[in-house]
């Protein structure tokens, strides 16, 4: 799920950047530091949409660095248990398949793939129904439900299932090409 | 003689018996054989002890019934009983003969032997009746009649347990009975001493006044001697070796029964996945095992060839292949088991079926407690199980054998047996055998006490769990699916599926891969191996590491023992990519050539121009790829360099859109040092001189951690102007972190370098267009 929230962060700025464009520097450093990171509480910070306020800087003794408290608005993405997501399959193996929804990697185990879908090895490993009408392979888009999440410092890993109503392949690159 | 109590009722009816009992004078037991169908049998025994024990019969009858049930379950059909010819009975018997019998003494005997007897009733086979001298003279018809009588009677026995209990109570030893003395002896000689006491008894006859001697297998260092007085014991053991007469202890009356009460727990074996047949009567169990048979050796043996035995060689356990045996010209017979109707292959007296060896074991030689089969082992038996119920039964064994105390407060559990089956709840309190659970359902009492055998831990898909015992102990992962007692989890680190028992996992939010370090080496360390090759530890096993060797382009994983590792490689070295850009640790690089083309990820280690990249989409080798730096390209800004120098801020607005105007922001020349132009000239001079003006960090020594710029290089030392302290210090060149390259690849003359502007005040650059190295690089390869 995406959220648009306001977060705060203390930014340290090298004295070298003091001057006219200090604010720009600060913002660009903030973007560089923050975008793409992940926290357990908020999930992935996808993009900074604006800076609300920059507080008064505090010069650090010794180093000359200045610390600014910065409040910024950003879009965050956090997957939840039970959430239904659309994701792109990145890898298929006999244990199941991995899919990605933006920065989040989701693993769908073969236990959580409908029983009528069988793993087929080969050049393009895939899961196919017995009649061959539905196939999950690399680049397929699937709709899945998240049943478990694990949040690391740098990534969120989820376990998903497609063993439920209305879940499964939503577009098959194999059929279109 | 223990039997004697049992059948008095019959004895009463059976006058003949009284007769020969008297003649016999000996206290033995014998059994009638029963009819061929194995339906019922009556034990028959004689005794000179009489009538007053009549009620005991009931008890015995019941036991008989029990026996039959057992037998039926075992499916044996054919059963025989053999005599319980116990040494101690015989010995006591000698005593009896010698001493003038007193009533209470007899009782005492009775009591002790009876303990054994109770067990025997269930397990020990009786010797088929050997006709005694006096019996032979009896009419065959007479015997038949007697059997008939007995048999028919046994069907009309009333079971009156209470009376039996009271009787049992009456048998407990009292102060009037003879006492049991515990005598210390040499360890390991217990049986020997008991036997020699028996021998002594036989030799000396009535001189010996002890009543019995008992050596108990599980009690080392002591034997028990039954006697009325301590003096009798002393007299009996006088002159014997390996017994210490100084240590004679009286066993308190209360504890006397415990001395000989047998552990009956171990006999709770029923037919199961690998237990094919249980014969409780003969105390034999037929067990299905995966044989370890060296067919070649067997063939050699059969052909009479002498082959020196390889010492310490243990053939691997595998399923027996009959065809293979035939190929080796081993004679294979096909045999049909008369009772079950299954056909077996018979080789050298060994029975095989479906590759399994069916072997008979004595119950005593089996260990049933705390046996923890691994999942693989279970699977092997399950696959080959001819019936579909394999799963259930093997799990029931597991549940029965699992060790206690694995439930903890807060565990989610589900009741798997009994009336409350499928009830879910949380563990509230754990007691010895029962677990108090707080049920999930409404309308139930707050807590319920349930036997821990009826409970099973309960997990939901998506739970994050930790494996606390078993093969993959310590690993964590997420539950993917639950199948009864089995839980499939996806390991956090390896992203592989593993099957574990629900009992072996607990819910946990912790993330580990199990063991992550042995000695000084940890998972994901770069290590130098004995043969001077190097590699990255990608997995830590219980006593070895899996190392991804530092051979670019051909991933090679070696199993390395701790001793094969020379040292850890800490060095933070830099490498250059295809476009001669520096690559440092944590930089994100993309692989442009080779089998891993297209992969990208942060650099974890650099050594000798070889990069170890972690690509989380790469599933082999836990996501690590080993490539030469030359086939990679740095992507995006160099994080570590930027952090270190603080001079690589991206101004996205200014530069990402106009990469063409990307310019380099050169390092500010040291204050008072040579001008920028000179500096560039110096760069061309040689390796050492290129260092001048570079931003460095001091790694070691007094100024550790300080940042600064190199003013001068003098041989192996450099003079560094510290940023923070406004002074110039001299340090060893090796002491500075070697990120010289950061400043070297100036490709364009900077504005400062042009000299067209007045030098800026130190450290306050006005130009927003400071582009990090990487950005310019991205555009430059074109």
């Amino acid at each position: 799920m995406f959220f648009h929230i306001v977060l705060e962060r203390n930014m340290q700025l090298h004295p070298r950047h003091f001057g006219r464009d200090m604010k720009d520097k600060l913002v660009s450093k903030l973007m560089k530091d923050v975008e793409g990171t992940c926290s357990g509480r908020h999930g992935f910070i996808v993009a900074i949409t604006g800076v609300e306020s920059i507080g008064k800087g505090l010069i650090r003794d010794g180093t000359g660095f200045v610390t600014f408290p910065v409040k910024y608005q950003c879009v965050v993405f956090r997957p939840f248990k039970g959430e239904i997501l659309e994701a792109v399959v990145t890898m298929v193996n006999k244990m199941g398949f991995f899919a990605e929804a933006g920065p989040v990697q989701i693993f769908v185990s073969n236990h959580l793939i409908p029983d009528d879908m069988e793993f087929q090895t080969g050049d393009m490993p895939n899961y196919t129904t017995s009649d061959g009408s539905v196939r999950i392979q690399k680049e397929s888009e699937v709709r899945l439900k998240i049943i478990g999440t694990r949040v690391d410092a740098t990534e969120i890993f989820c376990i998903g299932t497609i063993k439920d109503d209305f879940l499964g392949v939503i577009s098959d690159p194999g059929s279109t090409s | 003689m223990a039997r004697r109590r049992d059948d008095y009722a019959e004895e009463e009816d059976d006058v003949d018996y009284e007769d020969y009992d008297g003649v016999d004078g000996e206290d033995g037991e014998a059994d009638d054989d029963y009819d061929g169908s194995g339906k019922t049998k009556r034990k028959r025994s004689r005794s000179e002890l009489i009538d007053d024990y009549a009620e005991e019969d009931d008890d015995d009858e019941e036991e008989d019934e029990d026996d039959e049930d057992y037998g039926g379950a075992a499916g044996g059909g054919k059963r025989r009983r053999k005599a319980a010819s116990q040494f101690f009975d015989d010995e006591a018997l000698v005593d009896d003969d010698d001493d003038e019998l007193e009533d209470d003494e007899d009782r005492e005997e009775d009591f002790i032997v009876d303990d054994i007897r109770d067990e025997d009733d269930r397990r020990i086979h009786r010797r088929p009746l050997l006709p005694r001298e006096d019996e032979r003279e009896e009419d065959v018809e007479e015997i038949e009649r007697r059997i008939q009588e007995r048999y028919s009677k046994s069907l009309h026995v009333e079971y009156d347990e209470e009376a039996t209990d009271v009787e049992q109570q009456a048998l407990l030893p009292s102060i009037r009975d003879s006492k049991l003395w515990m005598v210390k002896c040499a360890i390991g000689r217990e049986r020997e001493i008991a036997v020699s006491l028996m021998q002594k008894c036989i030799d000396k006859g009535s001189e010996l006044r002890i009543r019995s001697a008992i050596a108990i297998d599980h009690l080392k260092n002591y034997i028990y001697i039954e006697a009325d007085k301590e003096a009798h014991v002393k007299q009996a053991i006088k002159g014997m070796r390996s017994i210490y007469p100084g240590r004679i202890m009286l066993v308190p009356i209360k504890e006397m029964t415990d001395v000989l009460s047998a552990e009956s727990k171990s006999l709770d074996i029923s037919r199961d996945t690998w237990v094919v047949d249980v014969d409780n009567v003969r105390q034999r169990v037929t067990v299905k095992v995966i044989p370890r048979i060296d067919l070649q050796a067997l063939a050699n043996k059969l052909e009479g060839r002498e082959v020196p035995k390889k010492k310490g060689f243990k053939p691997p356990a595998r399923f027996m292949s009959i065809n293979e045996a035939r190929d080796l010209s081993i004679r294979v017979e096909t045999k049909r088991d008369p009772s079950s109707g299954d056909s077996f292959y018979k080789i050298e007296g060994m029975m095989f079926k479906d590759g399994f060896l069916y072997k008979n074991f004595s119950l005593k030689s089996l260990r049933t407690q705390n046996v923890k089969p691994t999942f693989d082992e279970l699977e092997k038996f399950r696959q080959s199980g001819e019936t579909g119920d394999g799963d259930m039964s093997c799990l029931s064994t597991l549940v029965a054998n699992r060790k206690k105390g694995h439930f903890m407060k807060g565990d989610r559990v589900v009741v798997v047996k009994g009336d409350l089956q499928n009830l879910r709840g949380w563990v509230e309190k754990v007691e010895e055998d029962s677990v108090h659970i707080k049920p999930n359902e409404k309308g139930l009492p707050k807590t319920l006490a349930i036997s821990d055998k009826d409970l099973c831990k309960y997990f939901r898909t998506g739970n994050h769990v930790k494996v606390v015992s078993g093969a993959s102990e310590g690993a964590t992962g997420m539950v993917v699916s639950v199948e009864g007692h089995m839980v499939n989890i996806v390991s956090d680190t390896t992203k592989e599926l593993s099957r574990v028992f629900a009992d072996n996992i607990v819910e946990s939010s912790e993330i580990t891969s199990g063991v992550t370090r042995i000695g000084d080496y940890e998972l994901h360390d770069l290590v130098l191996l004995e043969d001077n090759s190097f590699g990255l530890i990608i997995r830590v096993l219980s006593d070895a590491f899996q190392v991804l060797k530092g051979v670019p382009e051909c991933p090679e994983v070696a199993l390395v023992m701790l001793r094969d590792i020379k040292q850890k490689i800490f060095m933070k070295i830099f490498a250059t990519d295809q476009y001669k850009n520096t690559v440092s640790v944590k930089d994100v690089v993309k692989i442009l050539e080779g089998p891993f083309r297209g992969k990208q990820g942060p650099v974890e280690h650099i050594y000798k121009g070889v990069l170890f990249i972690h690509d989380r989409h790469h599933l082999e080798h836990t996501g690590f790829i080993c490539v030469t730096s030359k086939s990679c390209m740095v992507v995006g800004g160099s994080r570590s360099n930027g952090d270190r120098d603080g001079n690589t801020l991206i101004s996205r607005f200014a530069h990402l859109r106009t990469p063409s105007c990307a310019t380099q922001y050169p390092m500010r020349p040291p204050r008072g040092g040579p001008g920028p132009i000179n500096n560039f000239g110096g760069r061309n001079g040689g390796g050492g001189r290129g260092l001048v003006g570079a931003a460095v960090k001091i790694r070691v020594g007094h100024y550790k951690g300080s940042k600064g710029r190199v003013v001068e290089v003098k041989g192996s030392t450099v003079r560094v102007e510290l940023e923070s302290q406004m002074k110039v210090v001299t340090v060893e060149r090796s002491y500075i972190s070697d990120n010289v390259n950061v400043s070297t690849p100036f490709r364009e003359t900077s504005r400062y370098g042009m000299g067209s502007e007045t030098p800026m005040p130190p450290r306050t650059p006005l130009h927003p267009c400071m582009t990090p190295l990487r950005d310019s690089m991205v555009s430059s390869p074109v």
Side-chain angles (χ1 to χ4, degrees), chain B residues 283-309:
Chain B
Q283 280 201 297
R284 306 289 299 179
V285 183
T286 311
V287 179
K288 207 157 99 174
V289 293
I290 301 174
R292 290 175 179 275
I293 289 176
D294 189 349
L295 281 175
Q296 191 60 53
L298 191 70
N300 290 341
K301 201 180 112 193
L302 285 180
E303 285 169 29
R305 266 179 283 168
E306 275 293 314
V307 178
K309 262 195 185 166

Side-chain angles (χ1 to χ4, degrees), chain A residues 105-170:
Chain A
Q105 200 182 21
I106 303 151
F107 175 65
V108 179
S109 154
N110 56 10
H111 298 277
L112 300 167
I113 295 173
D115 296 329
D116 61 336
M117 296 192 91
E118 292 259 314
F119 178 66
Q120 321 277 333
T121 46
D123 199 24
M124 197 74 163
N126 58 69
Y127 281 87
T128 314
T129 50
S130 48
D131 60 354
S133 61
V134 181
R135 171 181 298 181
I136 295 173
Q137 62 188 44
K138 203 176 167 193
E139 308 295 321
S140 293
E141 285 170 33
V142 291
R143 182 173 292 133
L144 46 84
K145 188 164 104 183
I146 291 172
I147 54 165
T149 58
R150 192 190 79 228
V151 181
D152 282 352
T154 54
E155 66 163 342
I156 296 182
F157 182 73
C158 297
I159 292 201
T161 177
I162 56 166
K163 213 176 183 176
D164 217 335
D165 292 346
F166 308 111
L167 300 181
V169 177
I170 44 180

Side-chain angles (χ1 to χ4, degrees), chain B residues 383-597:
Chain B
Q383 277 166 5
S384 52
E386 58 274 25
T387 48
D389 63 333
D391 198 2
M392 279 321 290
S393 52
C394 77
L395 291 173
S396 65
T397 323
L398 277 178
V399 173
N401 288 338
R402 68 188 175 190
K403 64 174 183 225
K404 295 215 158 130
H406 62 279
F407 286 111
M408 292 215 290
K409 194 183 168 182
D411 281 351
R412 257 136 83 88
V413 290
V414 60
V415 182
V416 292
K417 245 196 249 171
D419 297 344
L420 294 170
Q421 194 167 3
N422 292 335
L423 177 77
R424 282 166 200 162
W426 286 272
V427 173
E428 271 292 304
K429 201 166 88 183
V430 183
E431 279 172 6
E432 186 78 349
D433 285 329
S434 64
V435 178
H436 293 254
I437 66 163
K438 201 165 119 195
N440 243 350
E441 308 287 324
K442 283 191 184 111
L444 283 170
K446 263 191 182 161
T447 54
L448 295 165
I450 290 175
S451 154
D452 65 353
K453 287 198 173 156
D454 299 346
L455 284 178
C456 179
K457 283 192 195 172
Y458 170 69
F459 295 94
R460 277 221 187 116
T461 49
N463 284 152
H464 194 259
V465 295
K466 183 179 184 187
V467 184
V468 289
S469 59
S472 46
E473 184 174 340
T476 59
M478 257 193 274
V479 176
V480 178
S481 68
V482 183
E483 301 163 6
H485 285 269
M486 302 303 304
V487 175
N488 290 297
I489 63 171
V490 179
S491 163
D492 287 336
T493 41
T494 58
K495 303 229 164 75
E496 278 165 7
L497 274 182
S498 51
R499 284 172 76 110
V500 290
F501 299 117
D503 285 334
N504 292 352
I505 53 179
V506 289
E507 235 174 294
S508 142
S509 54
E510 179 189 353
I511 296 166
T512 56
S513 60
V515 212
T516 55
R517 75 179 301 144
I518 306 177
D520 291 336
Y521 308 107
E522 220 173 327
L523 191 67
H524 302 165
D525 275 349
L526 187 67
V527 290
L528 192 65
L529 307 179
E530 273 301 300
D531 54 356
N532 280 329
S533 64
F534 59 96
L536 178 81
I537 297 176
I538 53 170
R539 185 177 286 181
V540 182
L541 307 172
S542 55
D543 53 351
F545 300 99
Q546 258 185 24
V547 171
L548 175 66
K549 293 293 255 323
V551 189
E553 268 82 62
C554 56
E556 184 194 332
V557 176
L559 203 65
V560 172
M561 307 296 285
L562 184 60
R563 60 168 185 276
D564 298 331
I565 298 177
K566 249 186 188 167
Q567 65 182 76
K568 199 146 110 179
I569 303 171
F570 293 104
M571 274 181 271
K572 280 230 186 329
I573 316 179
F574 293 80
T576 51
D577 70 1
Q578 203 164 31
Y579 304 104
K580 306 265 187 295
N581 294 303
T582 34
V583 183
S584 55
V585 174
K586 299 284 179 218
D587 284 355
V588 177
V589 298
K590 188 168 185 174
I591 302 171
L592 300 172
E593 299 168 348
F596 300 112
R597 216 181 119 171

Side-chain angles (χ1 to χ4, degrees), chain A residues 13-21 24-29 31-33 35 44 48 62-63 65 81 90-91 93-96 98 100 102-105 107 109-112 147-152 155-159, chain B residues 461-464 478-481 483 488 490-497 499 509 511 616-619 637-639 642-643 645-653 665 707 709 723-725 763-770:
Chain A
L13 200 62
H14 193 276
R16 173 191 321 132
H17 305 301
F18 300 165
R20 258 193 331 208
D21 299 315
D24 284 353
K25 286 274 152 52
L26 202 62
V27 172
S28 61
K29 184 166 160 51
M31 285 175 164
K32 181 177 173 280
D33 283 1
E35 284 182 5
F44 281 98
I48 291 173
T63 59
F65 276 91
K81 233 184 224 188
T90 51
M91 177 162 158
N93 62 22
K94 68 175 191 323
M95 296 187 302
F98 287 85
E100 268 178 15
V104 177
Q105 200 182 21
F107 175 65
S109 154
N110 56 10
H111 298 277
L112 300 167
I147 54 165
T149 58
R150 192 190 79 228
V151 181
D152 282 352
E155 66 163 342
I156 296 182
F157 182 73
C158 297
I159 292 201
Chain B
T461 49
N463 284 152
H464 194 259
M478 257 193 274
V479 176
V480 178
S481 68
E483 301 163 6
N488 290 297
V490 179
S491 163
D492 287 336
T493 41
T494 58
K495 303 229 164 75
E496 278 165 7
L497 274 182
R499 284 172 76 110
S509 54
I511 296 166
R616 65 186 172 99
H617 305 307
H618 185 68
L619 287 178
S638 169
R639 190 177 292 168
D643 290 348
D645 303 322
N647 64 350
T648 46
L649 290 189
I650 308 171
S651 175
R652 197 162 66 173
F653 309 113
Y665 174 63
K707 287 175 189 169
R709 278 158 215 281
E723 272 180 354
S724 54
Q725 291 185 32
R763 295 174 202 206
T764 45
L766 286 177
H767 299 285
C769 23
M770 291 192 306

Side-chain angles (χ1 to χ4, degrees), chain B residues 697-728:
Chain B
K697 190 173 175 182
I698 299 173
R699 285 193 297 121
V700 202
H702 185 245
Y703 295 101
K704 181 181 173 182
S706 309
K707 287 175 189 169
R709 278 158 215 281
V710 177
V711 180
E712 204 179 338
V713 180
K714 276 184 183 171
S716 67
T717 59
V718 285
R719 294 179 64 212
V720 179
E721 181 198 18
L722 300 181
E723 272 180 354
S724 54
Q725 291 185 32
M726 303 298 283
K727 67 180 185 185
V728 178

Side-chain angles (χ1 to χ4, degrees), chain B residues 261-323:
Chain B
S261 49
E263 296 166 79
S264 53
K265 277 179 266 171
S266 60
L267 291 139
D268 197 15
I269 293 178
S270 58
R271 283 184 75 176
D272 216 329
T273 318
W274 39 76
V275 178
V276 181
D277 192 3
V278 187
D279 193 335
N280 283 299
V281 186
R282 279 198 300 161
Q283 280 201 297
R284 306 289 299 179
V285 183
T286 311
V287 179
K288 207 157 99 174
V289 293
I290 301 174
R292 290 175 179 275
I293 289 176
D294 189 349
L295 281 175
Q296 191 60 53
L298 191 70
N300 290 341
K301 201 180 112 193
L302 285 180
E303 285 169 29
R305 266 179 283 168
E306 275 293 314
V307 178
K309 262 195 185 166
K310 279 174 252 171
K311 259 194 185 163
F313 171 72
K314 203 163 150 197
R318 62 190 188 109
F319 291 115
M320 180 74 180
S321 156
I322 295 301
N323 290 335

